[in-house]
Coordinates of all heavy atoms in Angstrom, one line a residue:
L1365 N -19.5 7.8 36.9 CA -18.4 7.5 36.0 C -17.2 7.0 36.8 O -16.7 7.6 37.7 CB -18.0 8.7 35.1 CG -16.9 8.5 34.2 CD1 -17.2 7.5 33.1 CD2 -16.5 9.8 33.5
L1366 N -16.7 5.8 36.4 CA -15.5 5.3 37.0 C -14.4 5.3 35.9 O -14.5 4.6 34.9 CB -15.7 3.9 37.5 CG -14.4 3.1 38.0 CD1 -13.9 3.8 39.2 CD2 -14.7 1.7 38.2
C1367 N -13.4 6.2 36.1 CA -12.3 6.3 35.2 C -11.3 5.1 35.5 O -11.1 4.9 36.7 CB -11.5 7.6 35.3 SG -12.5 9.0 34.7
L1368 N -10.9 4.5 34.5 CA -10.0 3.3 34.7 C -8.6 3.7 34.3 O -8.3 4.3 33.3 CB -10.5 2.2 33.8 CG -11.9 1.7 34.1 CD1 -12.3 0.7 33.0 CD2 -11.9 1.0 35.4
P1369 N -7.6 3.2 35.0 CA -6.2 3.4 34.6 C -5.9 2.4 33.5 O -6.4 1.3 33.4 CB -5.4 3.0 35.9 CG -6.3 2.0 36.6 CD -7.7 2.5 36.3
R1370 N -5.0 2.9 32.6 CA -4.6 2.0 31.5 C -3.7 0.9 32.1 O -3.0 1.2 33.1 CB -3.8 2.8 30.5 CG -4.8 3.8 29.8 CD -4.2 4.4 28.5 NE -5.0 5.4 28.0 CZ -6.0 5.2 27.2 NH1 -6.4 4.0 26.9 NH2 -6.7 6.2 26.7
P1371 N -3.7 -0.3 31.7 CA -4.3 -0.8 30.4 C -5.7 -1.3 30.6 O -6.2 -2.0 29.7 CB -3.3 -1.9 30.0 CG -2.9 -2.5 31.3 CD -2.8 -1.3 32.3
L1372 N -6.4 -1.1 31.7 CA -7.7 -1.6 31.9 C -8.6 -1.0 30.8 O -8.5 0.2 30.5 CB -8.3 -1.3 33.3 CG -7.6 -2.0 34.4 CD1 -8.2 -1.6 35.8 CD2 -7.6 -3.5 34.2
D1373 N -9.6 -1.8 30.4 CA -10.5 -1.3 29.3 C -11.9 -1.7 29.7 O -12.2 -2.8 30.1 CB -10.1 -2.0 28.0 CG -10.9 -1.7 26.8 OD1 -12.0 -1.0 27.0 OD2 -10.5 -2.1 25.7
G1374 N -12.8 -0.7 29.7 CA -14.2 -0.9 30.0 C -14.9 -2.0 29.2 O -15.7 -2.7 29.7
R1375 N -14.5 -2.1 27.9 CA -15.1 -3.2 27.0 C -14.7 -4.6 27.5 O -15.4 -5.5 27.3 CB -14.6 -3.0 25.6 CG -15.3 -1.7 25.0 CD -14.7 -1.4 23.7 NE -13.2 -1.1 23.9 CZ -12.4 -0.8 23.0 NH1 -12.7 -0.7 21.8 NH2 -11.1 -0.4 23.4
R1376 N -13.5 -4.7 28.1 CA -13.1 -6.0 28.6 C -13.7 -6.2 30.0 O -14.0 -7.4 30.4 CB -11.6 -6.0 28.7 CG -11.1 -7.3 29.2 CD -9.6 -7.5 29.1 NE -9.1 -8.7 29.8 CZ -8.1 -8.8 30.5 NH1 -7.3 -7.7 30.6 NH2 -7.7 -9.9 31.1
L1377 N -13.8 -5.2 30.8 CA -14.3 -5.3 32.2 C -15.8 -5.6 32.2 O -16.3 -6.3 33.1 CB -14.0 -4.1 33.0 CG -12.6 -3.9 33.5 CD1 -12.4 -2.5 34.0 CD2 -12.4 -4.9 34.6
S1378 N -16.6 -5.0 31.3 CA -18.0 -5.1 31.3 C -18.6 -6.5 31.3 O -19.4 -6.9 32.1 CB -18.6 -4.2 30.1 OG -20.0 -4.2 30.2
P1379 N -18.1 -7.4 30.4 CA -18.6 -8.7 30.4 C -18.2 -9.5 31.7 O -18.9 -10.3 32.2 CB -18.0 -9.4 29.2 CG -17.4 -8.3 28.4 CD -17.2 -7.1 29.2
E1380 N -17.0 -9.2 32.2 CA -16.5 -9.9 33.4 C -17.4 -9.4 34.6 O -17.7 -10.2 35.4 CB -15.1 -9.6 33.6 CG -14.5 -10.3 34.8 CD -14.5 -11.9 34.6 OE1 -14.5 -12.4 33.5 OE2 -14.5 -12.5 35.7
A1381 N -17.7 -8.2 34.6 CA -18.5 -7.6 35.7 C -19.9 -8.3 35.6 O -20.5 -8.6 36.7 CB -18.6 -6.1 35.6
L1382 N -20.5 -8.4 34.4 CA -21.8 -9.1 34.3 C -21.8 -10.5 34.8 O -22.7 -10.9 35.5 CB -22.2 -9.0 32.8 CG -23.6 -9.4 32.5 CD1 -24.6 -8.5 33.3 CD2 -23.9 -9.3 31.0
H1383 N -20.7 -11.2 34.6 CA -20.5 -12.5 35.2 C -20.6 -12.5 36.7 O -21.0 -13.5 37.3 CB -19.2 -13.1 34.7 CG -18.9 -14.5 35.2 ND1 -19.5 -15.6 34.7 CD2 -18.1 -14.9 36.2 CE1 -19.1 -16.6 35.4 NE2 -18.2 -16.3 36.3
H1384 N -20.3 -11.4 37.3 CA -20.4 -11.2 38.8 C -21.6 -10.5 39.2 O -21.7 -10.0 40.4 CB -19.1 -10.5 39.3 CG -17.9 -11.3 39.2 ND1 -17.4 -12.1 40.2 CD2 -17.0 -11.5 38.2 CE1 -16.3 -12.7 39.8 NE2 -16.1 -12.3 38.6
G1385 N -22.6 -10.4 38.3 CA -23.9 -9.7 38.7 C -23.9 -8.2 38.6 O -24.8 -7.6 39.1
L1386 N -23.0 -7.6 37.9 CA -22.9 -6.2 37.8 C -23.1 -5.8 36.3 O -22.4 -6.3 35.5 CB -21.5 -5.6 38.2 CG -21.2 -5.9 39.7 CD1 -19.7 -5.6 39.9 CD2 -22.1 -5.2 40.6
D1387 N -24.1 -5.0 36.1 CA -24.4 -4.5 34.7 C -23.8 -3.1 34.5 O -24.4 -2.1 34.8 CB -25.9 -4.5 34.5 CG -26.3 -4.3 33.0 OD1 -25.4 -4.3 32.2 OD2 -27.5 -4.1 32.7
L1388 N -22.6 -3.1 33.9 CA -21.8 -1.8 33.7 C -21.7 -1.6 32.3 O -21.5 -2.5 31.5 CB -20.5 -1.9 34.4 CG -20.5 -2.3 35.9 CD1 -19.1 -2.5 36.4 CD2 -21.2 -1.2 36.7
T1389 N -21.7 -0.3 31.9 CA -21.6 0.1 30.5 C -20.2 0.8 30.3 O -20.0 1.7 31.0 CB -22.7 1.0 30.1 OG1 -24.0 0.4 30.3 CG2 -22.6 1.4 28.6
P1390 N -19.4 0.3 29.3 CA -18.2 1.0 29.0 C -18.5 2.4 28.4 O -19.4 2.5 27.6 CB -17.5 0.1 28.0 CG -18.5 -0.9 27.6 CD -19.6 -0.9 28.5
V1391 N -17.8 3.4 28.8 CA -17.9 4.8 28.3 C -17.7 4.7 26.8 O -18.4 5.5 26.0 CB -16.9 5.7 29.0 CG1 -17.0 7.1 28.3 CG2 -17.2 5.8 30.4
S1392 N -16.9 3.9 26.3 CA -16.6 3.8 24.9 C -17.8 3.5 24.0 O -17.9 3.8 22.8 CB -15.5 2.8 24.6 OG -15.9 1.5 25.0
A1393 N -18.9 2.9 24.6 CA -20.1 2.6 23.9 C -20.8 3.9 23.4 O -21.6 3.8 22.5 CB -21.1 1.8 24.8
F1394 N -20.5 5.0 24.0 CA -21.1 6.3 23.7 C -20.1 7.2 22.9 O -20.5 8.3 22.6 CB -21.6 7.0 24.9 CG -22.6 6.2 25.7 CD1 -22.2 5.5 26.8 CD2 -23.9 6.1 25.3 CE1 -23.1 4.7 27.5 CE2 -24.8 5.4 26.0 CZ -24.4 4.6 27.1
A1395 N -18.9 6.7 22.6 CA -17.9 7.6 22.0 C -18.0 7.6 20.5 O -18.3 6.6 19.9 CB -16.5 7.1 22.4
V1396 N -17.8 8.8 19.9 CA -17.8 8.9 18.5 C -16.3 8.7 18.0 O -16.1 8.1 16.9 CB -18.3 10.3 18.1 CG1 -18.1 10.5 16.6 CG2 -19.7 10.5 18.5
S1397 N -15.4 9.1 18.8 CA -14.0 8.9 18.5 C -13.3 8.2 19.7 O -13.9 8.1 20.8 CB -13.3 10.2 18.3 OG -13.4 11.0 19.4
P1398 N -12.1 7.7 19.5 CA -11.4 7.0 20.6 C -11.4 7.8 21.9 O -11.2 9.0 21.8 CB -10.0 6.7 20.1 CG -10.2 6.7 18.6 CD -11.3 7.7 18.3
Q1399 N -11.6 7.2 23.0 CA -11.6 7.8 24.3 C -10.2 8.2 24.8 O -9.2 7.4 24.6 CB -12.2 6.9 25.4 CG -13.7 6.7 25.1 CD -14.5 8.0 25.3 OE1 -14.6 8.5 26.3 NE2 -15.0 8.5 24.2
Q1400 N -10.0 9.3 25.4 CA -8.8 9.7 26.0 C -8.5 8.8 27.2 O -7.3 8.5 27.5 CB -8.8 11.2 26.5 CG -8.9 12.2 25.3 CD -7.7 12.1 24.4 OE1 -6.6 12.0 24.9 NE2 -8.0 12.1 23.1
R1401 N -9.5 8.4 27.9 CA -9.3 7.6 29.1 C -10.5 6.6 29.2 O -11.7 7.0 29.1 CB -9.3 8.5 30.3 CG -9.0 7.7 31.6 CD -8.4 8.6 32.6 NE -8.0 7.8 33.8 CZ -7.7 8.3 34.9 NH1 -7.8 9.6 35.1 NH2 -7.4 7.5 35.9
P1402 N -10.2 5.3 29.4 CA -11.3 4.3 29.5 C -12.1 4.5 30.8 O -11.6 5.0 31.8 CB -10.5 3.0 29.5 CG -9.1 3.3 29.9 CD -8.9 4.7 29.5
G1403 N -13.3 4.1 30.8 CA -14.1 4.2 32.0 C -15.4 3.3 31.9 O -15.7 2.7 30.8
L1404 N -16.1 3.3 33.0 CA -17.4 2.6 33.1 C -18.4 3.5 33.6 O -18.1 4.3 34.5 CB -17.3 1.4 34.0 CG -16.4 0.3 33.6 CD1 -16.1 -0.7 34.8 CD2 -17.0 -0.5 32.4
L1405 N -19.7 3.4 33.1 CA -20.8 4.1 33.7 C -21.3 3.3 34.9 O -21.6 2.1 34.7 CB -21.8 4.4 32.7 CG -21.5 5.4 31.6 CD1 -22.6 5.5 30.6 CD2 -21.1 6.7 32.1
L1406 N -21.5 3.9 36.0 CA -22.0 3.2 37.2 C -23.4 3.9 37.5 O -23.5 5.1 37.6 CB -21.1 3.4 38.4 CG -19.7 3.0 38.2 CD1 -18.9 3.3 39.5 CD2 -19.5 1.6 37.8
G1407 N -24.4 3.1 37.6 CA -25.7 3.6 38.0 C -26.2 2.9 39.3 O -26.2 1.7 39.4
F1408 N -26.6 3.7 40.2 CA -27.0 3.2 41.5 C -28.1 3.9 42.2 O -28.3 3.8 43.4 CB -25.8 3.0 42.5 CG -24.9 4.3 42.6 CD1 -25.3 5.3 43.4 CD2 -23.8 4.5 41.8 CE1 -24.5 6.5 43.5 CE2 -23.0 5.6 41.8 CZ -23.4 6.6 42.7
G1409 N -28.9 4.7 41.4 CA -30.0 5.4 41.9 C -31.1 4.4 42.4 O -31.4 3.4 41.7
G1410 N -31.7 4.6 43.5 CA -32.8 3.8 44.0 C -32.4 2.5 44.5 O -33.2 1.6 44.7
I1411 N -31.1 2.3 44.7 CA -30.6 1.0 45.2 C -30.3 1.2 46.7 O -29.6 2.2 47.1 CB -29.4 0.5 44.4 CG1 -29.8 0.2 43.0 CG2 -28.8 -0.7 45.1 CD1 -28.6 -0.1 42.1
P1412 N -30.7 0.3 47.6 CA -30.4 0.4 49.0 C -28.9 0.4 49.3 O -28.1 -0.2 48.6 CB -31.0 -0.8 49.6 CG -32.1 -1.3 48.7 CD -31.6 -0.9 47.3
D1413 N -28.5 1.2 50.3 CA -27.1 1.4 50.6 C -26.3 0.0 50.7 O -25.2 -0.1 50.2 CB -26.9 2.1 51.9 CG -27.3 3.6 51.8 OD1 -27.6 4.0 50.7 OD2 -27.4 4.2 52.9
Q1414 N -26.9 -1.0 51.4 CA -26.2 -2.2 51.6 C -25.9 -2.9 50.2 O -24.9 -3.5 50.0 CB -27.0 -3.2 52.5 CG -26.2 -4.4 52.8 CD -24.8 -4.2 53.4 OE1 -24.7 -3.3 54.3 NE2 -23.9 -4.9 53.0
E1415 N -26.8 -2.8 49.3 CA -26.6 -3.4 47.9 C -25.5 -2.6 47.2 O -24.7 -3.2 46.4 CB -27.9 -3.4 47.1 CG -28.9 -4.4 47.6 CD -30.1 -4.4 46.8 OE1 -30.0 -4.4 45.5 OE2 -31.2 -4.6 47.3
I1416 N -25.4 -1.3 47.4 CA -24.3 -0.5 46.8 C -23.0 -1.0 47.4 O -22.0 -1.2 46.7 CB -24.5 1.0 47.0 CG1 -25.8 1.4 46.3 CG2 -23.3 1.8 46.6 CD1 -26.2 2.9 46.6
V1417 N -22.9 -1.2 48.7 CA -21.7 -1.7 49.3 C -21.3 -3.0 48.8 O -20.1 -3.2 48.4 CB -21.9 -1.8 50.9 CG1 -20.7 -2.5 51.5 CG2 -22.1 -0.4 51.5
E1418 N -22.3 -3.9 48.6 CA -22.0 -5.2 48.0 C -21.5 -5.1 46.6 O -20.6 -5.8 46.1 CB -23.2 -6.2 48.1 CG -23.0 -7.5 47.4 CD -21.9 -8.4 47.9 OE1 -21.5 -8.3 49.1 OE2 -21.3 -9.1 47.1
G1419 N -22.1 -4.2 45.8 CA -21.8 -4.0 44.4 C -20.4 -3.5 44.3 O -19.6 -3.9 43.4
V1420 N -20.0 -2.6 45.2 CA -18.6 -2.0 45.1 C -17.6 -3.1 45.5 O -16.6 -3.2 44.8 CB -18.5 -0.8 46.1 CG1 -17.0 -0.4 46.3 CG2 -19.3 0.4 45.6
A1421 N -17.9 -4.0 46.4 CA -17.1 -5.1 46.7 C -16.9 -6.0 45.5 O -15.8 -6.5 45.3 CB -17.6 -5.8 48.0
R1422 N -18.0 -6.3 44.8 CA -17.9 -7.1 43.6 C -17.1 -6.5 42.6 O -16.2 -7.1 41.9 CB -19.3 -7.4 43.1 CG -20.1 -8.3 43.9 CD -21.5 -8.5 43.2 NE -22.4 -9.2 44.1 CZ -23.6 -9.5 43.7 NH1 -24.1 -9.2 42.5 NH2 -24.4 -10.1 44.6
L1423 N -17.3 -5.2 42.4 CA -16.5 -4.5 41.4 C -15.0 -4.5 41.7 O -14.2 -4.7 40.9 CB -17.0 -3.0 41.3 CG -16.3 -2.1 40.3 CD1 -16.3 -2.7 38.9 CD2 -16.9 -0.7 40.3
E1424 N -14.7 -4.4 43.0 CA -13.3 -4.4 43.4 C -12.7 -5.8 43.0 O -11.6 -5.9 42.5 CB -13.2 -4.2 44.9 CG -11.7 -4.3 45.4 CD -11.6 -4.2 46.9 OE1 -12.6 -4.3 47.6 OE2 -10.4 -4.0 47.3
R1425 N -13.4 -6.9 43.3 CA -13.0 -8.2 42.9 C -12.7 -8.3 41.4 O -11.7 -8.9 41.0 CB -13.9 -9.3 43.4 CG -13.9 -9.5 44.9 CD -14.6 -10.7 45.4 NE -16.1 -10.7 45.1 CZ -17.0 -10.2 45.9 NH1 -16.6 -9.7 47.1 NH2 -18.3 -10.2 45.6
V1426 N -13.7 -7.8 40.6 CA -13.5 -7.9 39.2 C -12.3 -7.1 38.7 O -11.5 -7.6 37.9 CB -14.8 -7.3 38.5 CG1 -14.6 -7.1 37.0 CG2 -16.0 -8.2 38.8
L1427 N -12.1 -5.9 39.3 CA -11.0 -5.1 38.9 C -9.7 -5.8 39.2 O -8.7 -5.8 38.4 CB -11.0 -3.7 39.6 CG -12.1 -2.8 39.0 CD1 -12.2 -1.6 39.9 CD2 -11.9 -2.4 37.6
R1428 N -9.6 -6.4 40.4 CA -8.4 -7.1 40.8 C -8.1 -8.3 39.9 O -7.0 -8.6 39.5 CB -8.5 -7.6 42.3 CG -8.3 -6.4 43.2 CD -8.3 -6.9 44.7 NE -8.4 -5.9 45.6 CZ -7.4 -5.1 46.0 NH1 -6.2 -5.3 45.5 NH2 -7.6 -4.1 46.9
Q1429 N -9.2 -9.1 39.6 CA -9.0 -10.3 38.8 C -8.6 -9.9 37.4 O -7.7 -10.5 36.8 CB -10.4 -11.0 38.7 CG -10.7 -11.8 39.9 CD -12.1 -12.4 39.9 OE1 -12.8 -12.2 38.9 NE2 -12.4 -13.2 40.9
V1430 N -9.2 -8.9 36.8 CA -8.8 -8.5 35.4 C -7.4 -7.9 35.4 O -6.6 -8.2 34.5 CB -9.9 -7.5 34.8 CG1 -9.4 -6.9 33.5 CG2 -11.2 -8.2 34.6
S1431 N -7.1 -7.1 36.4 CA -5.7 -6.5 36.5 C -4.7 -7.6 36.6 O -3.6 -7.4 36.1 CB -5.6 -5.6 37.8 OG -6.5 -4.5 37.6
N1432 N -5.0 -8.7 37.3 CA -4.1 -9.8 37.5 C -4.2 -10.9 36.4 O -3.5 -11.9 36.5 CB -4.3 -10.5 38.9 CG -3.9 -9.5 40.0 OD1 -3.1 -8.7 39.9 ND2 -4.6 -9.6 41.1
G1433 N -5.0 -10.6 35.4 CA -5.2 -11.6 34.3 C -5.9 -12.8 34.7 O -5.7 -13.9 34.1
V1434 N -6.8 -12.8 35.7 CA -7.5 -14.0 36.2 C -9.0 -13.8 36.0 O -9.8 -14.1 36.9 CB -7.2 -14.2 37.7 CG1 -7.8 -15.5 38.2 CG2 -5.8 -14.1 38.1
A1435 N -9.4 -13.4 34.8 CA -10.8 -13.3 34.5 C -11.5 -14.7 34.5 O -10.8 -15.6 34.1 CB -11.0 -12.6 33.2
S1436 N -12.7 -14.7 34.9 CA -13.5 -16.0 34.9 C -13.7 -16.6 33.6 O -14.0 -16.0 32.6 CB -14.8 -15.8 35.6 OG -14.7 -15.3 36.9

């Protein structure tokens, strides 16, 4: 689970991440009521270490782009 600082929103980040080859699920997809804190579910079981490192680098780029309002 990756907790996101406000105003970032997992629902907004998820499609942008997919554009960068990352399939992330917003925590809000499982919520019955509004979330106290936005977040993303991260799954990386069975993935080689180097691919995890690359995925984290991609996620960092997505977070920076969305934070700066430069989504693709």
Side-chain angles (χ1 to χ4, degrees):
L1365 175 65
L1366 173 66
C1367 293
L1368 298 169
R1370 294 193 189 277
L1372 293 179
D1373 181 350
R1375 291 170 296 180
R1376 180 170 173 220
L1377 280 168
S1378 185
E1380 185 63 24
L1382 191 57
H1383 181 73
H1384 289 270
L1386 300 170
D1387 189 7
L1388 305 174
T1389 304
V1391 174
S1392 61
F1394 301 99
V1396 176
S1397 60
Q1399 294 294 294
Q1400 294 296 318
R1401 185 156 185 192
L1404 294 168
L1405 293 177
L1406 307 177
F1408 47 86
I1411 297 176
D1413 291 350
Q1414 187 53 42
E1415 288 183 39
I1416 294 172
V1417 170
E1418 174 58 29
V1420 170
R1422 288 182 193 182
L1423 180 55
E1424 178 185 15
R1425 287 192 295 272
V1426 170
L1427 290 170
R1428 288 184 190 280
Q1429 288 175 351
V1430 171
S1431 293
N1432 294 327
V1434 187
S1436 300

